[in-house]
């Protein structure tokens, strides 16, 4: 994969300038911090407890029957996804706190659910957020050839039924990360110039990655196999259930935001320049969903307000619901689309339709012109 520099247009900056001024005014007028509040701290405790307490109950024998243990592992999968969406995500975007040490330490929670912070910051923060839905740059739309999530990728015959089998493959998202993908990505990022050769940065990160993987598997797979009095394969199956649930949850949430019938997949010209500026690019590649379901939004870490997250990644997600009317109104004033699906079920249906289109057509007609005039 080539990571050439993409340059966004600098024309028509008024939308983002106006939006940033209004959002800043929202916080100043209410004397609010854009970072975590009490709700966020409580959520952090709840999510981490939902992950670790069931695990300890199994180790201590409080949960002992095979069905109960398998259910417990699956429940932990939802907690893994919750930590990923609600806690470490904000911290690694520097949105949890204005204190860098707090963000860094909370961001390390990614490591205890099997991930690797250094890779995530490159893949998610630098690539996905900078180059959303741009082929060869956004890895979220570039899985192995078994799925086609971008109209610029080669289409194969089996893609015609990806709207059926794709959901199953989504469940392997975190399994891929905890096994081979973190290693593959680290080597790829070195080759692509994201990691500096001086001072042994790559070697240091590779050593950390090896020890973190050993520690993770030792703590959450080997130790339960040794201490929980059931056949080893039952514990291994439970571990698999945990990651399948986590992977399916995370993949669906992120795909509903960017692989939709309204989504654009703009490409840079031969000089590497994009037709729109960065803010407008985010608007035409991103979709919100289920904005009125507060319980759902609580668990998803506000990622159903994906537009707000992409425009303001350093604002804690607990504020997205309140700034979303500002974003929507400003977009309407400038004639910029603000895509939203009213419910989660509706969004699932639309994503399924997009998977069908991507699997059956080489080109996907744009919902609107990718060139927008604002001002």
């Amino acid at each position: 994969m080539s990571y050439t520099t993409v340059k966004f247009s600098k024309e028509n900056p008024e939308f983002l300038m106006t939006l940033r001024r209004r959002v800043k005014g929202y916080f100043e007028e209410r004397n609010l911090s854009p970072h975590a509040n009490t709700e966020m701290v409580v959520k952090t405790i709840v999510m981490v407890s939902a992950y670790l307490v069931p695990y300890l109950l199994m180790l201590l024998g409080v949960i002992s029957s095979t069905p109960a243990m398998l259910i417990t592992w699956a429940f932990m999968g939802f907690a893994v996804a919750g930590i990923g969406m609600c806690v470490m995500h904000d911290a690694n975007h520097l949105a949890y706190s204005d204190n860098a040490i707090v963000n860094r330490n909370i961001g390390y929670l990614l490591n205890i659910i099997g991930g690797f912070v250094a890779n995530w910051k490159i893949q998610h923060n630098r690539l996905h957020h900078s180059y959303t839905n741009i082929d060869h740059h956004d890895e979220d739309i570039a899985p192995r050839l078994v799925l086609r999530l971008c109209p610029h990728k080669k289409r194969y015959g089996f893609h015609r039924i990806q709207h059926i089998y794709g959901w199953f493959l989504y469940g392997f998202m975190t399994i891929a990360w905890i096994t081979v993908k973190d290693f593959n990505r680290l080597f790829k990022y070195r080759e692509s110039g994201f990691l500096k050769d001086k001072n042994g940065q790559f070697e240091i990160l590779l050593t950390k990655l090896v020890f973190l993987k050993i520690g993770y598997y030792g703590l959450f797979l080997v130790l339960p196999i040794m201490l929980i009095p059931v056949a080893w394969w039952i514990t291994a199956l439970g571990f698999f259930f945990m990651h399948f649930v986590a992977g399916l949850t995370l993949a669906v949430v992120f795909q509903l935001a960017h692989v939709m019938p309204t989504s654009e997949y703009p490409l840079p010209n031969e000089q590497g320049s994009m037709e729109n500026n960065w803010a407008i690019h985010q608007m035409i590649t991103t979709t919100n969903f289920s904005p009125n379901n507060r319980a759902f939004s609580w668990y998803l870490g506000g990622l159903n307000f994906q537009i707000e997250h992409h425009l303001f990644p350093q604002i804690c997600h607990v504020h997205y619901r309140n700034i979303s009317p500002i974003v929507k109104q400003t977009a309407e004033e400038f004639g910029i689309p603000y895509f939203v699906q009213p419910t989660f079920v509706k969004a699932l249906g639309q994503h399924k339709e997009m998977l069908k289109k991507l699997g059956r057509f080489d080109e996907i007609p744009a919902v609107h012109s990718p060139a927008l005039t604002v001002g």
Side-chain angles (χ1 to χ4, degrees), residues 38-53 83 87 96 109 298:
T38 302
E39 174 191 343
M40 184 65 180
V41 174
V42 171
K43 183 184 295 191
T44 301
I45 296 171
V46 169
M47 289 299 174
V48 174
S49 298
Y51 179 53
L52 295 179
V53 171
I83 291 173
V87 186
Y96 198 101
L109 285 172
W298 185 91

Side-chain angles (χ1 to χ4, degrees), residues 30-42:
R30 292 161 179 78
N31 195 28
L32 292 174
S33 166
H35 298 108
N37 55 17
T38 302
E39 174 191 343
M40 184 65 180
V41 174
V42 171

Side-chain angles (χ1 to χ4, degrees), residues 2 6 9 19 50 55 95 97 146 163 174 224 229 241 272 277 332-333 348:
S2 173
V6 170
S9 170
L19 183 58
Y55 169 71
S97 171
V146 71
H163 63 285
T174 62
F241 279 175
N277 64 43
E332 290 174 349
E333 290 177 10
L348 282 176

